[in-house]
Amino acid sequence: MKLIADISIIPLGVGLSLSSYVAVCEEVFTEAGLEPNLHANGTNVEGEWDTVMAALKMCHERLHDMGVPRIATNVRLGTRVDREPSMDAKLESVREKMKK
Amino acid sequence: MKLIADISIIPLGVGLSLSSYVAVCEEVFTEAGLEPNLHANGTNVEGEWDTVMAALKMCHERLHDMGVPRIATNVRLGTRVDREPSMDAKLESVREKMKK
Amino acid sequence: MKLIADISIIPLGVGLSLSSYVAVCEEVFTEAGLEPNLHANGTNVEGEWDTVMAALKMCHERLHDMGVPRIATNVRLGTRVDREPSMDAKLESVREKMKK
Amino acid sequence: MKLIADISIIPLGVGLSLSSYVAVCEEVFTEAGLEPNLHANGTNVEGEWDTVMAALKMCHERLHDMGVPRIATNVRLGTRVDREPSMDAKLESVREKMKK
């Protein structure tokens, strides 16, 4: 089952500068072969359900290993079986509608 | 790693009545031993990361097997390593503050 | 337009104990006449769109006034025009399906 | 109070092709002067709290006017008072950390 996910990770108890932790998770996703698309409020990844979820777990584990005591993550998950899901296709489809 | 999760599952392409699908997921979570706490906009579960995530995957799979072509799920995930996370403790802590 | 909302507020830069801030927001929602239903990962409110959104803004403002430098909030919003939306009806509908 | 928001709008009861509705909301945000940044699972906007929230309400209203019976929206909201919030600065900060 393929999964499209939008992941927003908020480390708690480490002050206000969160970017170094977000960068670690980007690396984790990249190492997992997920080609993350970072945006201002999260990152988009697509892949097999188990691959994405294993990377997300590793991200939490790595941040805790770095000393982050608490993490609050928001994830939007999309699966579909009518056709192959694709982030590029989603974006392209909206952009086409906007041209009209 | 223990996980507290708040899961909101939205089946797409099956009309406006979503409660029967939400009920199926409640059953999946219960079968997984997660004692889900249903609320008006999602359900709260707590357990080992792998247990919660396996149940969430099974929920998506079961809904697709029932003919749901597309699913959009929003999940709030909480992990912490400073002390044992607990949904009851979270609620109790807020309620104590509200009494003052 | 009536709105059902599930609001999860995360104050940043104030350490790990967030319950006193959540309690303040519960008070703000109650003062706004919204009868919030607190759960382990957020709070559910229903009311007119403008009433709910004004209360949410006041919650952010009040926390910032208390010294919270940064706030990350996740909100699930539901509106519908086919019939009157109701949190009680949503819950009741799922529970009926679960009995079968 | 300035607001950074990530908005994911899911129209219900209109089948599986949602892109035309997402495109309408992009137009609403653009008309409001918000310069939306569309991504695969939502759109990022920044502006004054009231401006962003008025545009979000108009988006729900316009979709309902188009015949969408029910809408489920997920929003991530960020406010901060320690310094001017900026989506560009957030992205830049993560990218700098990733270079190291």
Side-chain angles (χ1 to χ4, degrees):
Chain A
M1 183 166 55
K2 211 179 152 194
L3 173 62
I4 290 178
D6 185 347
I7 300 169
S8 167
I9 290 167
I10 301 176
L12 296 170
V14 290
L16 294 172
S17 183
L18 309 181
S19 54
S20 58
Y21 302 104
V22 174
V24 166
C25 289
E26 288 298 288
E27 286 171 13
V28 169
F29 296 137
T30 300
E31 287 166 16
L34 292 172
E35 301 180 20
N37 272 309
L38 184 71
H39 60 83
N41 293 293
T43 198
N44 289 308
V45 295
E46 65 186 328
E48 281 301 308
W49 178 288
D50 290 344
T51 309
V52 173
M53 287 307 196
L56 179 57
K57 185 185 180 187
M58 182 167 294
C59 167
H60 272 245
E61 287 174 334
R62 202 165 297 179
L63 295 195
H64 284 313
D65 287 347
M66 290 168 68
V68 178
R70 186 175 174 182
I71 304 170
T73 293
N74 182 258
V75 191
R76 297 173 186 148
L77 302 170
T79 59
R80 66 190 306 170
V81 293
D82 57 327
R83 58 180 174 80
E84 180 80 355
S86 153
M87 296 199 300
D88 285 344
K90 284 179 74 176
L91 272 173
E92 185 57 31
S93 182
V94 176
R95 283 179 182 140
E96 268 181 30
K97 303 298 190 309
M98 289 172 69
K99 283 179 200 155
K100 288 168 192 172
Chain B
M1 184 167 54
K2 210 179 152 192
L3 173 63
I4 289 178
D6 184 349
I7 300 169
S8 166
I9 290 166
I10 301 177
L12 296 170
V14 291
L16 294 173
S17 182
L18 309 180
S19 55
S20 59
Y21 303 103
V22 174
V24 166
C25 289
E26 289 298 288
E27 284 170 12
V28 169
F29 296 137
T30 300
E31 287 166 15
L34 292 171
E35 302 180 20
N37 271 310
L38 183 72
H39 60 82
N41 293 294
T43 197
N44 289 307
V45 294
E46 64 185 329
E48 280 301 308
W49 178 288
D50 290 344
T51 309
V52 172
M53 288 306 197
L56 180 57
K57 186 186 180 186
M58 182 166 294
C59 166
H60 272 245
E61 288 174 334
R62 202 165 299 179
L63 294 194
H64 284 313
D65 287 346
M66 289 169 68
V68 178
R70 187 175 174 182
I71 305 170
T73 293
N74 183 259
V75 191
R76 297 174 185 147
L77 302 171
T79 59
R80 66 190 305 170
V81 293
D82 57 327
R83 58 178 172 82
E84 180 80 355
S86 153
M87 296 200 299
D88 284 344
K90 284 178 75 176
L91 273 173
E92 184 57 30
S93 183
V94 176
R95 283 180 182 141
E96 267 180 31
K97 302 299 189 310
M98 290 173 68
K99 283 181 202 155
K100 289 169 191 171
Chain C
M1 184 166 54
K2 211 179 152 193
L3 173 63
I4 290 179
D6 185 349
I7 300 167
S8 167
I9 290 166
I10 301 177
L12 296 170
V14 289
L16 293 172
S17 182
L18 309 180
S19 55
S20 59
Y21 302 103
V22 174
V24 166
C25 288
E26 288 298 288
E27 284 170 13
V28 169
F29 296 138
T30 300
E31 286 165 18
L34 292 172
E35 302 181 20
N37 272 309
L38 183 72
H39 60 83
N41 293 293
T43 197
N44 289 307
V45 294
E46 65 186 327
E48 280 302 308
W49 178 288
D50 290 343
T51 309
V52 172
M53 289 306 198
L56 179 57
K57 186 185 179 187
M58 183 167 293
C59 166
H60 272 244
E61 288 173 334
R62 202 165 299 179
L63 295 194
H64 285 312
D65 287 346
M66 290 168 67
V68 178
R70 187 175 174 183
I71 304 170
T73 293
N74 182 260
V75 192
R76 297 173 185 148
L77 301 171
T79 58
R80 66 190 306 171
V81 293
D82 57 326
R83 59 179 171 79
E84 180 80 355
S86 153
M87 297 199 299
D88 285 344
K90 283 179 75 176
L91 272 174
E92 184 57 31
S93 183
V94 176
R95 284 181 182 139
E96 268 181 30
K97 302 298 189 309
M98 290 173 69
K99 283 181 200 153
K100 290 169 191 171
Chain D
M1 184 166 54
K2 211 180 152 192
L3 173 63
I4 291 179
D6 185 347
I7 300 168
S8 167
I9 289 166
I10 301 177
L12 297 169
V14 291
L16 294 173
S17 182
L18 309 180
S19 54
S20 58
Y21 302 103
V22 174
V24 166
C25 288
E26 289 298 288
E27 285 170 13
V28 169
F29 296 137
T30 300
E31 287 166 17
L34 292 171
E35 302 181 21
N37 271 309
L38 184 71
H39 61 81
N41 294 293
T43 198
N44 288 308
V45 295
E46 65 185 328
E48 280 301 308
W49 178 289
D50 291 344
T51 309
V52 173
M53 287 307 196
L56 179 56
K57 185 186 179 186
M58 183 167 293
C59 167
H60 272 245
E61 288 173 335
R62 203 166 295 181
L63 295 194
H64 284 313
D65 287 346
M66 289 169 68
V68 178
R70 187 174 173 183
I71 304 170
T73 293
N74 183 258
V75 191
R76 296 173 187 148
L77 302 171
T79 58
R80 66 190 305 171
V81 293
D82 56 327
R83 58 179 173 81
E84 180 80 355
S86 153
M87 296 199 299
D88 284 345
K90 285 178 75 176
L91 272 172
E92 185 56 31
S93 183
V94 176
R95 284 179 182 141
E96 268 181 31
K97 303 299 190 310
M98 290 173 68
K99 281 178 202 157
K100 289 170 191 173

